[in-house]
Amino acid sequence: MSTRSLWRWPRPSQTDEAELLARAARAQGTSLFAMARRRIWRDIPARIALLGLSVLALLALLAPLLPLASPISLDLARGASAPVAPWSADWRGLWNEQYTGEHWQYGRVDQALHELRIELFGKRQLAPLLGTDSKGRDLLARTVFGSRTSLSAALLAALTSLLIGVGWGAVAGFVGGRLDNLMMRFVDLLYSLPFVFLVIFLVTIVAEYRSELEAGLGLDRESVFFIVLGCFYWLTMARIVRAQVLSLRTREFVTAARSLGASDTRILLTHIVPNTLPVVLVYLCLTVPSVMLFEAFLSFLGLGVEPPRVSWGLLAAEGAEALTPLSLDVWLILVPSLCIALTLLAMNVIGDSIRDALDPRMVNKE
Amino acid sequence: MKRFLLRRLLWFFLTLLAVITVAFALMRGVRGGPFDGERPLPPAIEKNLRARYHLDWPLWKQYLQYTGPLNLDEHGPQWLGGDGTRPLGGVLTGDLGPSFRYRDFSVNDILAQSLPISMQLGALALCLALLIGVPAGIASALARGGGFDALLRVSTSLGIAVPGFVLGSVLLYLFSLRHPLLPVAGYGTWRHWVLPTLALAAPFAAYAARLTRAGVLETIALDHVRTARAKGLPESLVIRRHVLRGALLPLLAWLGPAAAGILTGSLVIERIFAIPGTGTHFVNSALNRDYTLAMGVTIVYTTLVYAFNLLVDLASAAIDPRIRLEESA
Amino acid sequence: MSAERRTLLEVEGLEVEFRTPRGRVQAVRGLDLCVGAGEILAIVGESGSGKSVAQLAIMDLLPDSASVRARRMHWQGQELSSLSRAQRRALCGRELAMVFQDPLSALHPQLTIGRQLSEVLEVHERLTRVQVRARCIAALAEVGIPSPEERLRAYPHELSGGMRQRVMIAMALIASPRLLFADEPTTALDVTVQAQILELFRELCARRGLAIVLVTHSLGVVARVADRVQVMYAGQALERGSAEEVLAAPAHPYTRALLRSVPDARIEGDAHSEPAAGAPARLATIPGQPPDLAQPIRGCAFAPRCERASELCRREAPRFAPNPRAACHHPEGSA
């Protein structure tokens, strides 16, 4: 064999080099995120859940635009009526012309949507496909409008918890030392306070000052309530983020970044916080159902959303009260409960899917 | 160990103080009082009531009177100007004050009556939840991917997703109203316990099953389980000794918040099934602004949860030697 | 195979396949090995060569997604695949034992060392408590742990890395098995401790007549302790023979390339391992990547990266004939 080794890596010629660069540009490494995205999409239940939630969000957003009955219009003469199957004799058709246009105070966007609705559909509205409650109010309309409150509650609380929690946890974990100690002691203290009781206290307090809040800040009781909820949920988020940051801080890529001259803030913002994203996401997916349940819980006790506004929790509470030996209005509790349950189910499925997808150990597992 | 317990005790007092202060500030610092209620009272009577409950005192004095340990009213110690008949009082001596609403009863009386009921309900529910949830979770993990596993995953998802009051109402409807198998409401025989316990336990059973399942699945894939098999241990021993110990740790950690959750869940369940427990009193007291009762219940519940958490921490440290007690203080 | 060594383990045609979401992955594609009493067989190869999987397959420790096939898998004359799951499990610890790479994760974190040792005896032998304790102390002493009585109540995380590995070895050997599988036992340890553990292996071999199958990716380890060595690549063995021969005069181009990539390696008769005078020394590497194990392989697995590859190599898979040392169509020493 010739003494000139063929395996000594030859220096590429000009054209070869260009070709190599072109090939490198084309080759796309799959980032962990891209892999995760693909894996979530491939998980059928998660895909269905995502699609379902998107549809729900869309409906909730456009609620004033949809040709629904008014959610607050009373019809005491009619009283409670069950949903009617299309094939039964009592089927009165999909539409009727009885839109009353009643609604609670709308903001500007909703007002515009509502006016557009009147232009498009006039007095046409969907018949009470899901039945009516004891005061004759259309359940379908109330459910759709209720979804707005329930979803926005969950989102507001989740966002508040995200902003405060991630900030608090990241700073505490990254800076360490006495500041960390102090910050986490504060969290521990807040953690040991009986959350539910304090919320109930707060709610009763807020009820006192409702008129001031509405006039001054333009916030209704609900919004304040949800922000308050978020202020409680950030505690766990802060703990989780801090734990993540602590483990990330000692990882090699941080030392590498430092050795390249990156400042602390830069490292924190561009390296550490994005790496906490998976854990944060999973926890968010768990917070949302938690908040929805809690809102339902408070509404049931009469401390949550106030009429004339609706939320799924309030509807479920009204439905629960309608269960008496005399009346068989099961649909009143079934519909909102099913909505809550399905939404929670969807969020849990998505949360599980994200957690499984982003777990690097699952990459090579069967 | 002693330092750990001492530190926990100190922390507990601090927490309690914070709770009392916050609750006190919230309730008193706001306009409206327990007598702004349904029926307007004649001004003379209202004035008397206010004086009796010291609502005309400055706030700081009310606060001190409540927390104790000295009684600041006319029955207080002689060196403070009182007649010395009742020198001590306040939370520090265990006196939670008089109820503003139920005027012939003190908070201690009301709690003595209702707390045992609530605690019994809570304990039963927790035991039931564990008895159902843990074995189900283990079975589902070991039979992973099978029919039972799928069934369990669906039912636990539902169990978590359905609000407690919905389940309670539906159960009440099905088993008491529609088909009168069990009593509708109240408290007395063992039959009265069935539905409330079930309704309260259900979401916790679901959660316990999920946690156990996840714990087992995660532990069973660990290296030391493979080592155990390599040593020739039969599979049942591997599961019992090597998998379960680690798998149950997250479950144990969850028990603390779960106990707190059962207490809050009982608020709703007691309302639905008309059980004369502490939860009912709490909700009413918040609505009626019966300050002392509301605070009293809060204090008791905080103490209970704290004690439970302490037990859980001790148990965790006993199971896993890597957990050092000082760290969890 | 020297005459005085009794053959304990004979495996022929071992194949291991995993079901994954990406498809079926062939981790081991036809492996033969045999080990005799008192000898140390090293299996060396890069990550993904299938060396660890082969060991786990013989011990029946692979997950259910793996399917294991072999023409023959004989332990002391008995065919292993004809045994039930429980029977095979009973062999583990008693006749066959294994130590793993990372002792911190391989030992149970919540049980004491003593407990982890004694449970092996409880399963395999009938002894009194006193006897069990004595055996545990003796096992720890044998692997060179000082003050063994005190260590019985310690937990794994309280010991150093080297001690933990010794504990794992003690645990594996306490029921006196004949064969020890060692999966990269020194990789997680630092160099001085490595040397001690390897020395321990040699002693155990000599003293107890223990057979050891040592999986490693380090040629240095092979040089230190192995009697015989097999070089694995992409699930197959490419070269095998006595450690001395293979390391000094490798027949397969892959082995040669591996040895060249060790800095400061000098191979007799190999001009390329001497850096040219005046030229800057470069880190030698093997160009290319190992093949994708999810795809079937035609011809020789190493051909795409081999400097001596020919059309024959790409077409036909080589066997250990006519050269019993190397599965190669153009082994070193031929044209």
Side-chain angles (χ1 to χ4, degrees):
Chain A
M1 197 172 90
S2 86
T3 47
R4 191 150 42 113
S5 173
L6 292 168
W7 66 262
R8 200 152 268 170
W9 194 238
R11 190 170 286 116
S13 65
Q14 285 283 57
T15 43
D16 282 344
E17 196 163 304
E19 215 240 275
L20 278 176
L21 283 172
R23 214 180 329 148
R26 274 199 306 267
Q28 261 179 325
T30 13
S31 74
L32 207 59
F33 254 164
M35 257 200 311
R37 226 187 5 225
R38 237 189 305 150
R39 223 181 295 153
I40 296 177
W41 196 244
R42 233 189 302 163
D43 183 8
I44 305 284
R47 200 198 293 195
I48 300 179
L50 266 171
L51 288 172
L53 283 179
S54 320
V55 169
L56 181 66
L58 201 65
L59 284 178
L61 211 63
L62 298 175
L65 182 62
L66 302 171
L68 301 165
S70 160
I72 57 175
S73 149
L74 301 170
D75 188 355
L76 296 167
R78 184 191 180 126
S81 63
V84 184
W87 50 84
S88 85
D90 294 327
W91 176 249
R92 270 165 283 192
L94 200 56
W95 303 95
N96 63 40
E97 299 274 341
Q98 294 161 6
Y99 186 56
T100 59
E102 285 175 59
H103 55 83
W104 53 71
Q105 184 79 335
Y106 272 167
R108 264 200 303 221
V109 178
D110 286 346
Q111 191 66 22
L113 284 175
H114 188 234
E115 282 161 20
L116 187 57
R117 179 228 193 265
I118 296 188
E119 276 199 38
L120 286 173
F121 299 108
K123 282 204 161 254
R124 293 222 306 165
Q125 68 179 21
L126 281 171
L129 299 171
L130 290 178
T132 59
D133 66 9
S134 59
K135 298 203 181 110
R137 293 177 292 198
D138 182 305
L139 191 59
L140 175 63
R142 281 168 80 74
T143 309
V144 175
F145 276 89
S147 70
R148 301 186 116 201
T149 321
S150 301
L151 286 179
S152 52
L155 279 174
L156 257 173
L159 251 135
T160 318
S161 78
L162 181 82
L163 285 171
I164 307 181
V166 171
W168 195 274
V171 169
F174 194 67
V175 174
R178 299 198 68 174
L179 184 64
D180 173 29
N181 216 3
L182 213 68
M183 289 175 95
M184 292 329 277
R185 283 261 185 258
F186 184 63
V187 169
D188 284 342
L189 185 68
L190 286 185
Y191 219 80
S192 45
L193 296 183
F195 165 45
V196 172
F197 300 91
L198 289 180
V199 172
I200 292 183
F201 277 132
L202 267 168
V203 165
T204 14
I205 306 303
V206 171
E208 272 301 312
Y209 290 102
R210 192 178 350 136
S211 37
E212 275 94 335
L213 283 171
E214 274 176 5
L217 291 172
L219 285 177
D220 51 6
R221 164 164 136 168
E222 276 78 30
S223 309
V224 176
F225 167 61
F226 302 146
I227 294 182
V228 164
L229 275 190
C231 292
F232 285 100
Y233 279 98
W234 72 261
L235 293 174
T236 314
M237 178 75 87
R239 276 194 173 170
I240 292 179
V241 170
R242 172 184 176 268
Q244 251 314 67
V245 170
L246 276 181
S247 86
L248 284 173
R249 189 175 72 169
T250 54
R251 290 254 282 267
E252 277 136 13
F253 69 85
V254 173
T255 330
R258 273 227 185 82
S259 69
L260 290 173
S263 76
D264 273 353
T265 338
R266 185 183 168 77
I267 293 181
L268 189 62
L269 287 178
T270 57
H271 290 276
I272 296 201
V273 169
N275 269 298
T276 64
L277 213 58
V279 181
V280 167
L281 263 179
V282 173
Y283 181 67
L284 270 185
C285 281
L286 295 179
T287 319
V288 170
S290 225
V291 175
M292 290 186 84
L293 277 178
F294 192 61
E295 183 269 310
F297 167 82
L298 284 176
S299 297
F300 181 75
L301 292 177
L303 299 167
V305 173
E306 257 194 350
R309 302 220 173 218
V310 277
S311 77
W312 284 344
L314 191 63
L315 288 175
E318 287 176 355
E321 277 160 29
L323 286 179
T324 68
L326 303 171
S327 56
L328 287 170
D329 308 336
V330 271
W331 66 91
L332 287 178
I333 194 176
L334 227 61
V335 169
S337 307
L338 219 65
C339 289
I340 296 180
L342 285 176
T343 309
L344 263 48
L345 202 66
M347 294 248 60
N348 276 322
V349 164
I350 294 178
D352 281 348
S353 186
I354 295 183
R355 195 197 310 134
D356 283 345
L358 288 170
D359 180 2
R361 283 178 293 164
M362 299 291 284
V363 175
N364 292 318
K365 254 196 224 162
E366 175 257 342
Chain B
M1 175 66 154
K2 251 193 283 229
R3 253 185 45 189
F4 166 71
L5 286 174
L6 241 97
R7 209 135 41 111
R8 273 296 171 98
L9 207 63
L10 183 67
W11 207 231
F12 169 61
F13 276 121
L14 268 169
T15 310
L16 216 53
L17 196 64
V19 169
I20 295 178
T21 313
V22 170
F24 191 89
L26 284 177
M27 293 220 106
R28 299 299 179 86
V30 143
R31 61 168 183 244
F35 307 118
D36 306 339
E38 341 66 35
R39 293 163 297 142
L41 297 165
I45 298 189
E46 183 171 331
K47 189 151 167 270
N48 275 334
L49 285 173
R50 280 190 182 276
R52 180 172 159 207
Y53 292 113
H54 309 302
L55 289 176
D56 46 356
W57 282 2
L59 273 181
W60 63 265
K61 204 168 173 197
Q62 291 188 44
Y63 180 68
L64 279 178
Q65 170 76 349
Y66 184 74
T67 46
L70 291 175
N71 200 348
L72 297 171
D73 64 12
E74 64 273 11
H75 299 295
Q78 282 171 334
W79 54 272
L80 275 178
D83 59 22
T85 48
R86 256 193 338 157
L88 297 174
V91 172
L92 273 176
T93 57
D95 175 10
L96 293 169
S99 161
F100 285 178
R101 184 70 169 175
Y102 305 103
R103 312 227 175 97
D104 294 327
F105 295 94
S106 74
V107 172
N108 292 48
D109 293 334
I110 301 178
L111 283 179
Q113 238 179 27
S114 58
L115 199 59
I117 303 176
S118 291
M119 290 200 60
Q120 191 173 349
L121 180 64
L124 274 174
L126 194 58
C127 290
L128 188 65
L130 290 177
L131 264 158
I132 301 181
V134 175
I138 297 178
S140 144
L142 292 181
R144 186 193 194 172
F148 180 74
D149 184 22
L151 179 67
L152 188 98
R153 291 173 70 185
V154 170
S155 47
T156 52
S157 297
L158 279 176
I160 297 176
V162 174
F165 64 86
V166 170
L167 187 62
S169 309
V170 169
L171 281 178
L172 183 67
Y173 180 73
L174 283 177
F175 294 106
S176 293
L177 298 177
R178 196 95 144 94
H179 310 284
L181 295 170
L182 293 165
V184 172
Y187 159 75
T189 69
W190 67 267
R191 288 169 191 272
H192 285 103
W193 288 109
V194 173
L195 288 181
T197 313
L198 261 174
L200 190 54
F204 296 97
Y207 219 85
R210 285 195 134 202
L211 271 181
T212 312
R213 178 181 181 276
V216 171
L217 280 180
E218 176 151 346
T219 318
I220 218 171
L222 288 180
D223 284 348
H224 64 81
V225 174
R226 187 173 63 176
T227 310
R229 293 196 181 114
K231 294 200 292 197
L233 303 185
E235 192 67 18
S236 60
L237 187 60
V238 173
I239 302 283
R240 258 202 340 264
R241 195 183 291 158
H242 287 254
V243 174
L244 279 185
R245 282 188 81 141
L248 290 180
L249 266 182
L251 188 73
L252 198 60
W254 166 77
L255 270 186
I262 289 215
L263 284 178
T264 54
S266 67
L267 294 183
V268 154
I269 298 293
E270 286 181 16
R271 163 79 77 100
I272 295 178
F273 291 95
I275 297 178
T278 322
T280 323
H281 286 301
F282 175 72
V283 179
N284 291 335
S285 66
L287 290 169
N288 298 330
R289 268 177 236 112
D290 186 348
Y291 302 141
T292 39
L293 184 55
M295 299 245 278
V297 174
T298 309
I299 290 176
V300 167
Y301 275 5
T302 309
T303 312
L304 281 175
V305 171
Y306 217 84
F308 202 81
N309 273 318
L310 181 64
L311 282 173
V312 162
D313 279 343
L314 287 174
S316 294
I319 291 186
D320 190 335
R322 290 177 297 178
I323 298 177
R324 290 199 315 243
L325 283 177
E326 296 79 53
E327 284 173 350
S328 54
Chain C
M1 178 66 81
S2 45
E4 66 266 19
R5 292 205 209 271
R6 207 166 33 95
T7 307
L8 292 175
L9 177 69
E10 262 188 278
V11 176
E12 239 182 77
L14 179 66
E15 289 175 4
V16 180
E17 195 180 75
F18 286 97
R19 269 195 332 268
T20 69
R22 273 192 309 143
R24 291 175 177 274
V25 174
Q26 304 269 33
V28 180
R29 301 161 189 256
L31 180 70
D32 300 340
L33 59 85
C34 60
V35 197
E39 73 169 348
I40 301 185
L41 167 69
I43 304 184
V44 70
E46 40 185 293
S47 312
S49 55
K51 49 196 201 300
S52 302
V53 173
Q55 276 188 337
L56 291 170
I58 301 174
M59 286 280 283
D60 194 25
L61 288 176
L62 288 173
D64 289 334
S65 60
S67 66
V68 178
R69 280 187 304 272
R71 277 196 308 275
R72 262 198 334 162
M73 204 159 38
H74 278 200
W75 167 252
Q76 297 196 130
Q78 186 181 30
E79 173 58 48
L80 287 176
S81 55
S82 64
L83 296 175
S84 73
R85 205 77 205 261
Q87 284 171 319
R88 271 187 87 171
R89 182 66 65 83
L91 276 183
C92 293
R94 186 110 199 57
E95 308 268 331
L96 304 164
M98 192 158 175
V99 293
F100 299 93
Q101 180 174 338
D102 181 9
L104 187 57
S105 63
L107 291 173
H108 196 308
Q110 291 154 4
L111 297 178
T112 61
I113 305 285
R115 191 82 190 85
Q116 300 192 46
L117 284 170
S118 62
E119 65 180 353
V120 185
L121 292 175
E122 282 167 22
V123 168
H124 292 298
E125 299 184 31
R126 295 220 160 289
L127 299 171
T128 68
R129 282 257 295 267
V130 179
Q131 288 173 322
V132 166
R133 191 181 147 82
R135 280 280 283 276
C136 293
I137 296 179
L140 288 178
E142 187 180 3
V143 294
I145 292 185
S147 336
E149 329 72 51
E150 293 167 25
R151 307 288 181 186
L152 287 181
R153 274 207 305 251
Y155 289 95
H157 65 271
E158 295 170 351
L159 304 177
S160 72
M163 296 266 259
R164 282 197 286 265
Q165 191 59 285
R166 290 177 196 265
V167 165
M168 199 149 64
I169 297 172
M171 208 165 68
L173 297 181
I174 196 170
S176 313
R178 312 270 172 127
L179 176 69
L180 179 69
F181 286 106
D183 191 357
E184 309 221 30
T186 53
T187 312
L189 307 170
D190 54 23
V191 181
T192 41
V193 183
Q194 259 188 39
Q196 292 168 1
I197 299 287
L198 292 176
E199 200 44 49
L200 178 61
F201 278 152
R202 283 252 282 252
E203 274 175 50
L204 291 168
C205 226
R207 206 187 316 144
R208 284 173 167 235
L210 182 68
I212 301 184
V213 177
L214 182 68
V215 158
T216 178
H217 61 259
S218 159
L219 292 167
V221 168
V222 177
R224 249 204 139 91
V225 285
D227 296 320
R228 288 164 48 234
V229 64
Q230 278 206 346
V231 180
M232 273 187 79
Y233 181 80
Q236 294 166 315
L238 295 185
E239 176 156 5
R240 57 192 186 205
S242 87
E244 275 178 42
E245 287 175 349
V246 172
L247 288 181
H252 198 286
Y254 175 59
T255 323
R256 226 163 238 271
L258 273 184
L259 281 163
R260 277 200 211 114
S261 59
V262 176
D264 296 337
R266 300 265 185 278
I267 309 169
E268 44 183 79
D270 190 308
H272 308 300
S273 58
E274 315 265 343
R282 290 182 75 158
L283 265 183
T285 57
I286 308 177
Q289 297 275 357
D292 179 4
L293 296 174
Q295 309 294 335
I297 295 182
R298 235 169 50 112
C300 173
F302 186 59
R305 306 167 76 184
C306 183
E307 58 199 9
R308 301 162 74 95
S310 69
E311 205 34 58
L312 173 64
C313 302
R314 282 180 257 278
R315 223 182 32 235
E316 212 182 283
R319 291 173 295 129
F320 280 97
N323 188 338
R325 278 271 307 280
C328 183
H329 292 299
H330 310 288
E332 221 52 57
S334 66

